[in-house]
Amino acid sequence: MKFGILVNEGPYQHQSSDSAYMFTKAALENGHEIYRVFFYHDGVNNGTRLTVPPQDDRHIVNRWTELGKEHNLDLVVCIAAAQRRGLLDENEAKRQGKDANNIAEGFRISGLGQLIEAGIQSDRLVVFGD
Amino acid sequence: MTLHTVNKSPFDRNSLESCLRLARPGHSVLLFEDGIYGALKGTRFEQLVTEAVKSNSIYVLLPDLEARGMRADKVIDGIKTVDYAGFVNLAAENTRVQAWL
Amino acid sequence: MTENVTKKFLYVNRKAPYGTIYALESLEVVLIGAAFEQDVSVAFIDDGVYQLKKDQSTDGIGMKNFSPTYNALGDYEVTQIYVDKESLDERGLTADDLMNLVYEDEDDDYAEKSSISIVNRDELAKLMEQQDVVLSF
């Protein structure tokens, strides 16, 4: 079965990113497919590579990157929500005249249409948020 | 059939109450994250949830329960415990998943 | 864009505006989603009904008043808007407290019609059960 995942909250602040990760991992381990993980609202902060958690804590951003690499996941950050919250990739940084970008490896920035498309293409859309 | 998910403590938000008000008989409800507090015996929501168990399948995510210092024997009779794989199965078995954020 | 699949999408709004960004960013999803020509419904339940309160004026809080955007939903062919009656009742609100959201019915000589239906719990539960995708905010 194909799952779409929506993550609406940022890392560390709220458990929803952890829950979404555990769900995604369990789905993959049980032979399901993940069509896309879409990050919205503060969820876009799951995609910043500047995150530096304490050494004894989980690294939520890297964990998504690694799971993404292992399973070729489509990790998509909403562009409108990302711009509001200061998350940019190289192209966006250039376009907006900013001196840096901060998107983590394995994530891409795209429009809200990607969320709707995930709803259309997935068998189930599962929402994690506050 | 619908899998409803509730991740809020019933003491903090009305997600559980709204979910149970609008879930149809036969629907499944999964309590996870802070939602697990709604699954416990001895709270002022016990009666509401005990009533709901008669018409809905109610599940609680064991890892979230244990993380919060609670054990399965504290859970209201009739509520089943699941792990993340069980959560995935419930999402797959039902036609849709509706989150009560 | 995917053209050949039509699914029933329901957007469920249960949060009040301004205190958090959920209401505004949910509306942005509904507007973008309208371009995909799916069968779209929007429900307002619990504090979500406050999103449709008329006379919003944000001059004093330094935030953009996005409530006029709900008026555009009709133009985007989002015409099935459901408001939970119990949530209105609990909050001492009636239909008169809400914005008048309308659309032009092209099958009825472009007559202006209300997009809002006030529904009871059975109607709402039934609506939810008909959906393919439920997006909650």
Side-chain angles (χ1 to χ4, degrees), chain A residues 8-9 41 129-130, chain B residues 8 13 15 100-101, chain C residues 12-24 43-52 66 70 136-137:
Chain A
N8 284 339
E9 294 300 323
H41 301 307
D130 191 37
Chain B
K8 295 294 169 324
R13 308 254 196 107
S15 307
W100 293 84
L101 302 177
Chain C
V12 177
N13 293 286
R14 295 182 51 251
K15 298 194 177 84
Y18 308 114
T20 57
I21 199 170
Y22 301 106
L24 168 62
F44 294 88
I45 309 170
D46 296 322
D47 278 354
V49 302
Y50 287 129
Q51 293 181 30
L52 300 182
F66 63 94
Y70 291 94
S136 312
F137 293 99

PDB file of all heavy atoms in Angstrom, chain A residues 8-9 41 129-130, chain B residues 8 13 15 100-101, chain C residues 12-24 43-52 66 70 136-137:
ATOM      1  N   ASN A   8       3.288  18.303  10.277  1.00  0.00           N
ATOM      2  CA  ASN A   8       2.900  19.702  10.468  1.00  0.00           C
ATOM      3  C   ASN A   8       3.640  20.441  11.575  1.00  0.00           C
ATOM      4  O   ASN A   8       3.375  21.618  11.800  1.00  0.00           O
ATOM      5  CB  ASN A   8       1.398  19.785  10.768  1.00  0.00           C
ATOM      6  CG  ASN A   8       0.553  19.587   9.525  1.00  0.00           C
ATOM      7  OD1 ASN A   8       1.047  19.764   8.406  1.00  0.00           O
ATOM      8  ND2 ASN A   8      -0.699  19.225   9.694  1.00  0.00           N
ATOM      9  N   GLU A   9       4.518  19.754  12.278  1.00  0.00           N
ATOM     10  CA  GLU A   9       5.201  20.420  13.392  1.00  0.00           C
ATOM     11  C   GLU A   9       6.710  20.269  13.282  1.00  0.00           C
ATOM     12  O   GLU A   9       7.222  19.325  12.686  1.00  0.00           O
ATOM     13  CB  GLU A   9       4.722  19.853  14.733  1.00  0.00           C
ATOM     14  CG  GLU A   9       3.258  20.158  15.036  1.00  0.00           C
ATOM     15  CD  GLU A   9       2.949  21.655  15.111  1.00  0.00           C
ATOM     16  OE1 GLU A   9       3.798  22.430  15.611  1.00  0.00           O
ATOM     17  OE2 GLU A   9       1.858  22.039  14.651  1.00  0.00           O
ATOM     18  N   HIS A  41       3.517  23.829   7.687  1.00  0.00           N
ATOM     19  CA  HIS A  41       3.552  24.646   8.911  1.00  0.00           C
ATOM     20  C   HIS A  41       5.002  24.662   9.445  1.00  0.00           C
ATOM     21  O   HIS A  41       5.948  24.681   8.666  1.00  0.00           O
ATOM     22  CB  HIS A  41       2.582  24.108   9.975  1.00  0.00           C
ATOM     23  CG  HIS A  41       1.137  24.055   9.561  1.00  0.00           C
ATOM     24  ND1 HIS A  41       0.445  25.138   9.057  1.00  0.00           N
ATOM     25  CD2 HIS A  41       0.240  23.037   9.589  1.00  0.00           C
ATOM     26  CE1 HIS A  41      -0.811  24.794   8.820  1.00  0.00           C
ATOM     27  NE2 HIS A  41      -0.959  23.515   9.117  1.00  0.00           N
ATOM     28  N   GLY A 129       0.447  16.125  13.488  1.00  0.00           N
ATOM     29  CA  GLY A 129       0.540  17.551  13.777  1.00  0.00           C
ATOM     30  C   GLY A 129       0.071  17.897  15.170  1.00  0.00           C
ATOM     31  O   GLY A 129      -0.042  17.030  16.040  1.00  0.00           O
ATOM     32  N   ASP A 130      -0.230  19.174  15.373  1.00  0.00           N
ATOM     33  CA  ASP A 130      -0.652  19.637  16.687  1.00  0.00           C
ATOM     34  C   ASP A 130      -2.104  20.069  16.642  1.00  0.00           C
ATOM     35  O   ASP A 130      -2.410  21.217  16.599  1.00  0.00           O
ATOM     36  CB  ASP A 130       0.245  20.785  17.154  1.00  0.00           C
ATOM     37  CG  ASP A 130      -0.003  21.113  18.618  1.00  0.00           C
ATOM     38  OD1 ASP A 130      -0.232  20.190  19.409  1.00  0.00           O
ATOM     39  OD2 ASP A 130       0.029  22.296  18.967  1.00  0.00           O
TER      40      ASP A 130
ATOM     41  N   LYS B   8      -4.007  14.255  21.484  1.00  0.00           N
ATOM     42  CA  LYS B   8      -4.073  15.282  22.512  1.00  0.00           C
ATOM     43  C   LYS B   8      -4.600  14.710  23.819  1.00  0.00           C
ATOM     44  O   LYS B   8      -5.543  13.908  23.815  1.00  0.00           O
ATOM     45  CB  LYS B   8      -5.037  16.397  22.074  1.00  0.00           C
ATOM     46  CG  LYS B   8      -4.569  17.153  20.862  1.00  0.00           C
ATOM     47  CD  LYS B   8      -3.319  17.908  21.186  1.00  0.00           C
ATOM     48  CE  LYS B   8      -2.648  18.468  19.972  1.00  0.00           C
ATOM     49  NZ  LYS B   8      -2.706  17.650  18.791  1.00  0.00           N
ATOM     50  N   ARG B  13      -7.243  19.494  25.376  1.00  0.00           N
ATOM     51  CA  ARG B  13      -8.031  19.879  24.198  1.00  0.00           C
ATOM     52  C   ARG B  13      -9.255  18.982  24.100  1.00  0.00           C
ATOM     53  O   ARG B  13      -9.318  17.937  24.722  1.00  0.00           O
ATOM     54  CB  ARG B  13      -7.214  19.680  22.913  1.00  0.00           C
ATOM     55  CG  ARG B  13      -5.850  20.334  22.935  1.00  0.00           C
ATOM     56  CD  ARG B  13      -5.825  21.570  22.081  1.00  0.00           C
ATOM     57  NE  ARG B  13      -4.437  21.942  21.832  1.00  0.00           N
ATOM     58  CZ  ARG B  13      -3.814  21.783  20.675  1.00  0.00           C
ATOM     59  NH1 ARG B  13      -4.445  21.266  19.643  1.00  0.00           N
ATOM     60  NH2 ARG B  13      -2.552  22.144  20.545  1.00  0.00           N
ATOM     61  N   SER B  15     -10.134  17.321  21.445  1.00  0.00           N
ATOM     62  CA  SER B  15     -10.004  16.442  20.274  1.00  0.00           C
ATOM     63  C   SER B  15     -10.685  15.087  20.481  1.00  0.00           C
ATOM     64  O   SER B  15     -11.380  14.598  19.592  1.00  0.00           O
ATOM     65  CB  SER B  15      -8.526  16.204  19.949  1.00  0.00           C
ATOM     66  OG  SER B  15      -7.860  17.426  19.821  1.00  0.00           O
ATOM     67  N   TRP B 100      -7.378  13.979  14.474  1.00  0.00           N
ATOM     68  CA  TRP B 100      -8.048  14.996  15.311  1.00  0.00           C
ATOM     69  C   TRP B 100      -6.954  15.765  16.022  1.00  0.00           C
ATOM     70  O   TRP B 100      -6.591  15.452  17.145  1.00  0.00           O
ATOM     71  CB  TRP B 100      -9.041  14.338  16.269  1.00  0.00           C
ATOM     72  CG  TRP B 100     -10.175  13.744  15.497  1.00  0.00           C
ATOM     73  CD1 TRP B 100     -10.206  12.515  14.896  1.00  0.00           C
ATOM     74  CD2 TRP B 100     -11.409  14.378  15.173  1.00  0.00           C
ATOM     75  NE1 TRP B 100     -11.402  12.347  14.223  1.00  0.00           N
ATOM     76  CE2 TRP B 100     -12.159  13.470  14.383  1.00  0.00           C
ATOM     77  CE3 TRP B 100     -11.973  15.630  15.483  1.00  0.00           C
ATOM     78  CZ2 TRP B 100     -13.423  13.787  13.890  1.00  0.00           C
ATOM     79  CZ3 TRP B 100     -13.231  15.930  14.993  1.00  0.00           C
ATOM     80  CH2 TRP B 100     -13.952  15.012  14.210  1.00  0.00           C
ATOM     81  N   LEU B 101      -6.399  16.765  15.329  1.00  0.00           N
ATOM     82  CA  LEU B 101      -5.250  17.488  15.851  1.00  0.00           C
ATOM     83  C   LEU B 101      -5.681  18.466  16.938  1.00  0.00           C
ATOM     84  O   LEU B 101      -6.820  18.849  17.009  1.00  0.00           O
ATOM     85  CB  LEU B 101      -4.558  18.230  14.712  1.00  0.00           C
ATOM     86  CG  LEU B 101      -4.090  17.344  13.551  1.00  0.00           C
ATOM     87  CD1 LEU B 101      -3.491  18.193  12.461  1.00  0.00           C
ATOM     88  CD2 LEU B 101      -3.064  16.330  14.031  1.00  0.00           C
TER      89      LEU B 101
ATOM     90  N   VAL C  12     -10.541  19.717   7.173  1.00  0.00           N
ATOM     91  CA  VAL C  12     -11.191  19.897   8.473  1.00  0.00           C
ATOM     92  C   VAL C  12     -10.458  20.972   9.265  1.00  0.00           C
ATOM     93  O   VAL C  12      -9.271  20.844   9.553  1.00  0.00           O
ATOM     94  CB  VAL C  12     -11.198  18.575   9.276  1.00  0.00           C
ATOM     95  CG1 VAL C  12     -11.825  18.803  10.653  1.00  0.00           C
ATOM     96  CG2 VAL C  12     -11.953  17.489   8.527  1.00  0.00           C
ATOM     97  N   ASN C  13     -11.178  22.037   9.575  1.00  0.00           N
ATOM     98  CA  ASN C  13     -10.595  23.145  10.336  1.00  0.00           C
ATOM     99  C   ASN C  13     -11.176  23.171  11.741  1.00  0.00           C
ATOM    100  O   ASN C  13     -12.383  23.347  11.906  1.00  0.00           O
ATOM    101  CB  ASN C  13     -10.912  24.469   9.642  1.00  0.00           C
ATOM    102  CG  ASN C  13     -10.210  24.554   8.313  1.00  0.00           C
ATOM    103  OD1 ASN C  13      -9.012  24.753   8.244  1.00  0.00           O
ATOM    104  ND2 ASN C  13     -10.974  24.367   7.239  1.00  0.00           N
ATOM    105  N   ARG C  14     -10.317  23.009  12.730  1.00  0.00           N
ATOM    106  CA  ARG C  14     -10.792  22.998  14.113  1.00  0.00           C
ATOM    107  C   ARG C  14     -10.078  24.025  14.982  1.00  0.00           C
ATOM    108  O   ARG C  14     -10.135  23.948  16.193  1.00  0.00           O
ATOM    109  CB  ARG C  14     -10.638  21.596  14.711  1.00  0.00           C
ATOM    110  CG  ARG C  14     -11.532  20.544  14.031  1.00  0.00           C
ATOM    111  CD  ARG C  14     -11.416  19.161  14.651  1.00  0.00           C
ATOM    112  NE  ARG C  14     -11.583  19.191  16.081  1.00  0.00           N
ATOM    113  CZ  ARG C  14     -10.603  18.984  16.960  1.00  0.00           C
ATOM    114  NH1 ARG C  14      -9.389  18.705  16.553  1.00  0.00           N
ATOM    115  NH2 ARG C  14     -10.833  19.047  18.243  1.00  0.00           N
ATOM    116  N   LYS C  15      -9.403  24.977  14.338  1.00  0.00           N
ATOM    117  CA  LYS C  15      -8.644  25.945  15.134  1.00  0.00           C
ATOM    118  C   LYS C  15      -9.046  27.380  14.793  1.00  0.00           C
ATOM    119  O   LYS C  15      -9.368  27.699  13.655  1.00  0.00           O
ATOM    120  CB  LYS C  15      -7.152  25.751  14.909  1.00  0.00           C
ATOM    121  CG  LYS C  15      -6.673  24.366  15.366  1.00  0.00           C
ATOM    122  CD  LYS C  15      -5.174  24.277  15.469  1.00  0.00           C
ATOM    123  CE  LYS C  15      -4.728  22.929  15.996  1.00  0.00           C
ATOM    124  NZ  LYS C  15      -4.633  21.915  14.944  1.00  0.00           N
ATOM    125  N   ALA C  16      -8.999  28.243  15.801  1.00  0.00           N
ATOM    126  CA  ALA C  16      -9.368  29.647  15.638  1.00  0.00           C
ATOM    127  C   ALA C  16      -8.266  30.382  14.863  1.00  0.00           C
ATOM    128  O   ALA C  16      -7.120  29.946  14.848  1.00  0.00           O
ATOM    129  CB  ALA C  16      -9.570  30.273  17.018  1.00  0.00           C
ATOM    130  N   PRO C  17      -8.634  31.500  14.223  1.00  0.00           N
ATOM    131  CA  PRO C  17      -7.624  32.254  13.468  1.00  0.00           C
ATOM    132  C   PRO C  17      -6.731  33.104  14.373  1.00  0.00           C
ATOM    133  O   PRO C  17      -7.077  33.358  15.521  1.00  0.00           O
ATOM    134  CB  PRO C  17      -8.471  33.146  12.566  1.00  0.00           C
ATOM    135  CG  PRO C  17      -9.730  33.384  13.353  1.00  0.00           C
ATOM    136  CD  PRO C  17      -9.970  32.109  14.126  1.00  0.00           C
ATOM    137  N   TYR C  18      -5.609  33.558  13.842  1.00  0.00           N
ATOM    138  CA  TYR C  18      -4.672  34.531  14.441  1.00  0.00           C
ATOM    139  C   TYR C  18      -3.849  34.001  15.618  1.00  0.00           C
ATOM    140  O   TYR C  18      -2.652  34.265  15.696  1.00  0.00           O
ATOM    141  CB  TYR C  18      -5.383  35.846  14.833  1.00  0.00           C
ATOM    142  CG  TYR C  18      -6.168  36.403  13.674  1.00  0.00           C
ATOM    143  CD1 TYR C  18      -7.558  36.481  13.706  1.00  0.00           C
ATOM    144  CD2 TYR C  18      -5.519  36.770  12.486  1.00  0.00           C
ATOM    145  CE1 TYR C  18      -8.274  36.940  12.611  1.00  0.00           C
ATOM    146  CE2 TYR C  18      -6.233  37.215  11.379  1.00  0.00           C
ATOM    147  CZ  TYR C  18      -7.603  37.306  11.450  1.00  0.00           C
ATOM    148  OH  TYR C  18      -8.313  37.732  10.366  1.00  0.00           O
ATOM    149  N   GLY C  19      -4.474  33.275  16.557  1.00  0.00           N
ATOM    150  CA  GLY C  19      -3.711  32.752  17.699  1.00  0.00           C
ATOM    151  C   GLY C  19      -2.597  31.837  17.239  1.00  0.00           C
ATOM    152  O   GLY C  19      -1.507  31.811  17.818  1.00  0.00           O
ATOM    153  N   THR C  20      -2.874  31.076  16.192  1.00  0.00           N
ATOM    154  CA  THR C  20      -1.862  30.238  15.544  1.00  0.00           C
ATOM    155  C   THR C  20      -2.053  30.371  14.030  1.00  0.00           C
ATOM    156  O   THR C  20      -3.071  30.886  13.571  1.00  0.00           O
ATOM    157  CB  THR C  20      -2.005  28.744  15.932  1.00  0.00           C
ATOM    158  OG1 THR C  20      -3.321  28.317  15.593  1.00  0.00           O
ATOM    159  CG2 THR C  20      -1.752  28.529  17.416  1.00  0.00           C
ATOM    160  N   ILE C  21      -1.093  29.888  13.282  1.00  0.00           N
ATOM    161  CA  ILE C  21      -1.106  30.093  11.831  1.00  0.00           C
ATOM    162  C   ILE C  21      -1.932  29.029  11.091  1.00  0.00           C
ATOM    163  O   ILE C  21      -2.133  29.122   9.882  1.00  0.00           O
ATOM    164  CB  ILE C  21       0.344  30.113  11.288  1.00  0.00           C
ATOM    165  CG1 ILE C  21       0.381  30.787   9.900  1.00  0.00           C
ATOM    166  CG2 ILE C  21       0.935  28.706  11.238  1.00  0.00           C
ATOM    167  CD1 ILE C  21       1.772  31.078   9.382  1.00  0.00           C
ATOM    168  N   TYR C  22      -2.421  28.024  11.820  1.00  0.00           N
ATOM    169  CA  TYR C  22      -3.058  26.885  11.140  1.00  0.00           C
ATOM    170  C   TYR C  22      -4.206  27.300  10.217  1.00  0.00           C
ATOM    171  O   TYR C  22      -4.331  26.786   9.108  1.00  0.00           O
ATOM    172  CB  TYR C  22      -3.545  25.855  12.160  1.00  0.00           C
ATOM    173  CG  TYR C  22      -2.429  25.315  13.015  1.00  0.00           C
ATOM    174  CD1 TYR C  22      -2.286  25.708  14.340  1.00  0.00           C
ATOM    175  CD2 TYR C  22      -1.494  24.434  12.481  1.00  0.00           C
ATOM    176  CE1 TYR C  22      -1.247  25.240  15.120  1.00  0.00           C
ATOM    177  CE2 TYR C  22      -0.454  23.963  13.252  1.00  0.00           C
ATOM    178  CZ  TYR C  22      -0.331  24.362  14.576  1.00  0.00           C
ATOM    179  OH  TYR C  22       0.706  23.903  15.332  1.00  0.00           O
ATOM    180  N   ALA C  23      -5.050  28.224  10.677  1.00  0.00           N
ATOM    181  CA  ALA C  23      -6.214  28.613   9.869  1.00  0.00           C
ATOM    182  C   ALA C  23      -5.762  29.222   8.543  1.00  0.00           C
ATOM    183  O   ALA C  23      -6.263  28.851   7.471  1.00  0.00           O
ATOM    184  CB  ALA C  23      -7.077  29.607  10.644  1.00  0.00           C
ATOM    185  N   LEU C  24      -4.805  30.136   8.605  1.00  0.00           N
ATOM    186  CA  LEU C  24      -4.315  30.798   7.394  1.00  0.00           C
ATOM    187  C   LEU C  24      -3.659  29.796   6.442  1.00  0.00           C
ATOM    188  O   LEU C  24      -3.967  29.774   5.241  1.00  0.00           O
ATOM    189  CB  LEU C  24      -3.298  31.884   7.782  1.00  0.00           C
ATOM    190  CG  LEU C  24      -2.480  32.487   6.642  1.00  0.00           C
ATOM    191  CD1 LEU C  24      -3.366  33.192   5.621  1.00  0.00           C
ATOM    192  CD2 LEU C  24      -1.427  33.460   7.171  1.00  0.00           C
ATOM    193  N   ALA C  43     -14.797  21.668   6.104  1.00  0.00           N
ATOM    194  CA  ALA C  43     -15.623  21.625   7.311  1.00  0.00           C
ATOM    195  C   ALA C  43     -15.014  22.508   8.396  1.00  0.00           C
ATOM    196  O   ALA C  43     -13.794  22.581   8.533  1.00  0.00           O
ATOM    197  CB  ALA C  43     -15.748  20.190   7.820  1.00  0.00           C
ATOM    198  N   PHE C  44     -15.873  23.182   9.123  1.00  0.00           N
ATOM    199  CA  PHE C  44     -15.445  24.007  10.252  1.00  0.00           C
ATOM    200  C   PHE C  44     -16.106  23.462  11.516  1.00  0.00           C
ATOM    201  O   PHE C  44     -17.343  23.444  11.624  1.00  0.00           O
ATOM    202  CB  PHE C  44     -15.808  25.474  10.017  1.00  0.00           C
ATOM    203  CG  PHE C  44     -15.051  26.077   8.855  1.00  0.00           C
ATOM    204  CD1 PHE C  44     -15.547  25.982   7.562  1.00  0.00           C
ATOM    205  CD2 PHE C  44     -13.825  26.696   9.056  1.00  0.00           C
ATOM    206  CE1 PHE C  44     -14.840  26.519   6.483  1.00  0.00           C
ATOM    207  CE2 PHE C  44     -13.107  27.227   7.984  1.00  0.00           C
ATOM    208  CZ  PHE C  44     -13.616  27.136   6.695  1.00  0.00           C
ATOM    209  N   ILE C  45     -15.276  23.004  12.416  1.00  0.00           N
ATOM    210  CA  ILE C  45     -15.752  22.337  13.634  1.00  0.00           C
ATOM    211  C   ILE C  45     -15.009  22.946  14.825  1.00  0.00           C
ATOM    212  O   ILE C  45     -13.882  23.439  14.685  1.00  0.00           O
ATOM    213  CB  ILE C  45     -15.448  20.818  13.566  1.00  0.00           C
ATOM    214  CG1 ILE C  45     -15.947  20.221  12.247  1.00  0.00           C
ATOM    215  CG2 ILE C  45     -16.058  20.065  14.735  1.00  0.00           C
ATOM    216  CD1 ILE C  45     -15.474  18.792  12.008  1.00  0.00           C
ATOM    217  N   ASP C  46     -15.629  22.860  16.004  1.00  0.00           N
ATOM    218  CA  ASP C  46     -14.991  23.377  17.228  1.00  0.00           C
ATOM    219  C   ASP C  46     -14.542  24.828  16.998  1.00  0.00           C
ATOM    220  O   ASP C  46     -15.256  25.590  16.358  1.00  0.00           O
ATOM    221  CB  ASP C  46     -13.839  22.448  17.658  1.00  0.00           C
ATOM    222  CG  ASP C  46     -14.355  21.052  18.028  1.00  0.00           C
ATOM    223  OD1 ASP C  46     -15.438  20.967  18.627  1.00  0.00           O
ATOM    224  OD2 ASP C  46     -13.687  20.050  17.707  1.00  0.00           O
ATOM    225  N   ASP C  47     -13.357  25.203  17.490  1.00  0.00           N
ATOM    226  CA  ASP C  47     -12.916  26.602  17.338  1.00  0.00           C
ATOM    227  C   ASP C  47     -12.736  26.999  15.868  1.00  0.00           C
ATOM    228  O   ASP C  47     -12.619  28.192  15.566  1.00  0.00           O
ATOM    229  CB  ASP C  47     -11.599  26.830  18.083  1.00  0.00           C
ATOM    230  CG  ASP C  47     -11.817  27.075  19.573  1.00  0.00           C
ATOM    231  OD1 ASP C  47     -12.988  27.178  20.000  1.00  0.00           O
ATOM    232  OD2 ASP C  47     -10.813  27.158  20.305  1.00  0.00           O
ATOM    233  N   GLY C  48     -12.738  26.044  14.973  1.00  0.00           N
ATOM    234  CA  GLY C  48     -12.640  26.350  13.553  1.00  0.00           C
ATOM    235  C   GLY C  48     -13.763  27.246  13.061  1.00  0.00           C
ATOM    236  O   GLY C  48     -13.587  28.016  12.116  1.00  0.00           O
ATOM    237  N   VAL C  49     -14.930  27.178  13.730  1.00  0.00           N
ATOM    238  CA  VAL C  49     -16.052  28.016  13.280  1.00  0.00           C
ATOM    239  C   VAL C  49     -15.723  29.504  13.428  1.00  0.00           C
ATOM    240  O   VAL C  49     -16.266  30.342  12.706  1.00  0.00           O
ATOM    241  CB  VAL C  49     -17.384  27.695  14.020  1.00  0.00           C
ATOM    242  CG1 VAL C  49     -17.767  26.226  13.836  1.00  0.00           C
ATOM    243  CG2 VAL C  49     -17.311  28.045  15.501  1.00  0.00           C
ATOM    244  N   TYR C  50     -14.820  29.830  14.348  1.00  0.00           N
ATOM    245  CA  TYR C  50     -14.428  31.240  14.528  1.00  0.00           C
ATOM    246  C   TYR C  50     -13.721  31.802  13.294  1.00  0.00           C
ATOM    247  O   TYR C  50     -13.663  33.015  13.110  1.00  0.00           O
ATOM    248  CB  TYR C  50     -13.514  31.389  15.748  1.00  0.00           C
ATOM    249  CG  TYR C  50     -14.220  31.246  17.081  1.00  0.00           C
ATOM    250  CD1 TYR C  50     -13.724  30.373  18.053  1.00  0.00           C
ATOM    251  CD2 TYR C  50     -15.348  31.996  17.380  1.00  0.00           C
ATOM    252  CE1 TYR C  50     -14.344  30.250  19.288  1.00  0.00           C
ATOM    253  CE2 TYR C  50     -15.987  31.873  18.618  1.00  0.00           C
ATOM    254  CZ  TYR C  50     -15.472  30.999  19.567  1.00  0.00           C
ATOM    255  OH  TYR C  50     -16.087  30.887  20.783  1.00  0.00           O
ATOM    256  N   GLN C  51     -13.186  30.927  12.454  1.00  0.00           N
ATOM    257  CA  GLN C  51     -12.525  31.405  11.231  1.00  0.00           C
ATOM    258  C   GLN C  51     -13.506  32.157  10.335  1.00  0.00           C
ATOM    259  O   GLN C  51     -13.121  33.055   9.592  1.00  0.00           O
ATOM    260  CB  GLN C  51     -11.918  30.238  10.443  1.00  0.00           C
ATOM    261  CG  GLN C  51     -10.751  29.562  11.143  1.00  0.00           C
ATOM    262  CD  GLN C  51     -10.168  28.420  10.317  1.00  0.00           C
ATOM    263  OE1 GLN C  51     -10.209  28.439   9.090  1.00  0.00           O
ATOM    264  NE2 GLN C  51      -9.611  27.424  10.990  1.00  0.00           N
ATOM    265  N   LEU C  52     -14.792  31.759  10.402  1.00  0.00           N
ATOM    266  CA  LEU C  52     -15.794  32.339   9.501  1.00  0.00           C
ATOM    267  C   LEU C  52     -16.542  33.510  10.121  1.00  0.00           C
ATOM    268  O   LEU C  52     -17.455  34.070   9.508  1.00  0.00           O
ATOM    269  CB  LEU C  52     -16.788  31.255   9.062  1.00  0.00           C
ATOM    270  CG  LEU C  52     -16.189  30.063   8.316  1.00  0.00           C
ATOM    271  CD1 LEU C  52     -17.301  29.102   7.896  1.00  0.00           C
ATOM    272  CD2 LEU C  52     -15.409  30.532   7.094  1.00  0.00           C
ATOM    273  N   PHE C  66      -6.965  37.957   6.989  1.00  0.00           N
ATOM    274  CA  PHE C  66      -7.111  37.085   5.810  1.00  0.00           C
ATOM    275  C   PHE C  66      -8.546  36.618   5.616  1.00  0.00           C
ATOM    276  O   PHE C  66      -8.829  35.857   4.680  1.00  0.00           O
ATOM    277  CB  PHE C  66      -6.135  35.900   5.879  1.00  0.00           C
ATOM    278  CG  PHE C  66      -6.359  34.965   7.034  1.00  0.00           C
ATOM    279  CD1 PHE C  66      -7.143  33.839   6.881  1.00  0.00           C
ATOM    280  CD2 PHE C  66      -5.768  35.207   8.264  1.00  0.00           C
ATOM    281  CE1 PHE C  66      -7.349  32.967   7.936  1.00  0.00           C
ATOM    282  CE2 PHE C  66      -5.975  34.338   9.330  1.00  0.00           C
ATOM    283  CZ  PHE C  66      -6.758  33.219   9.165  1.00  0.00           C
ATOM    284  N   TYR C  70     -11.703  34.067   2.331  1.00  0.00           N
ATOM    285  CA  TYR C  70     -12.726  33.016   2.308  1.00  0.00           C
ATOM    286  C   TYR C  70     -13.792  33.319   1.237  1.00  0.00           C
ATOM    287  O   TYR C  70     -14.393  32.410   0.685  1.00  0.00           O
ATOM    288  CB  TYR C  70     -13.400  32.870   3.680  1.00  0.00           C
ATOM    289  CG  TYR C  70     -12.484  32.308   4.750  1.00  0.00           C
ATOM    290  CD1 TYR C  70     -11.779  33.152   5.595  1.00  0.00           C
ATOM    291  CD2 TYR C  70     -12.313  30.931   4.896  1.00  0.00           C
ATOM    292  CE1 TYR C  70     -10.932  32.653   6.574  1.00  0.00           C
ATOM    293  CE2 TYR C  70     -11.471  30.414   5.864  1.00  0.00           C
ATOM    294  CZ  TYR C  70     -10.782  31.288   6.698  1.00  0.00           C
ATOM    295  OH  TYR C  70      -9.940  30.778   7.658  1.00  0.00           O
ATOM    296  N   SER C 136      -6.497  17.410   8.019  1.00  0.00           N
ATOM    297  CA  SER C 136      -6.892  18.105   9.250  1.00  0.00           C
ATOM    298  C   SER C 136      -5.888  19.190   9.584  1.00  0.00           C
ATOM    299  O   SER C 136      -4.680  18.991   9.466  1.00  0.00           O
ATOM    300  CB  SER C 136      -6.933  17.103  10.402  1.00  0.00           C
ATOM    301  OG  SER C 136      -7.646  15.958  10.027  1.00  0.00           O
ATOM    302  N   PHE C 137      -6.419  20.321  10.001  1.00  0.00           N
ATOM    303  CA  PHE C 137      -5.545  21.429  10.412  1.00  0.00           C
ATOM    304  C   PHE C 137      -5.995  21.964  11.765  1.00  0.00           C
ATOM    305  O   PHE C 137      -7.098  21.756  12.178  1.00  0.00           O
ATOM    306  CB  PHE C 137      -5.567  22.546   9.376  1.00  0.00           C
ATOM    307  CG  PHE C 137      -4.941  22.117   8.084  1.00  0.00           C
ATOM    308  CD1 PHE C 137      -5.734  21.704   7.028  1.00  0.00           C
ATOM    309  CD2 PHE C 137      -3.565  22.094   7.937  1.00  0.00           C
ATOM    310  CE1 PHE C 137      -5.156  21.291   5.834  1.00  0.00           C
ATOM    311  CE2 PHE C 137      -2.987  21.682   6.751  1.00  0.00           C
ATOM    312  CZ  PHE C 137      -3.788  21.281   5.693  1.00  0.00           C
TER     313      PHE C 137
END
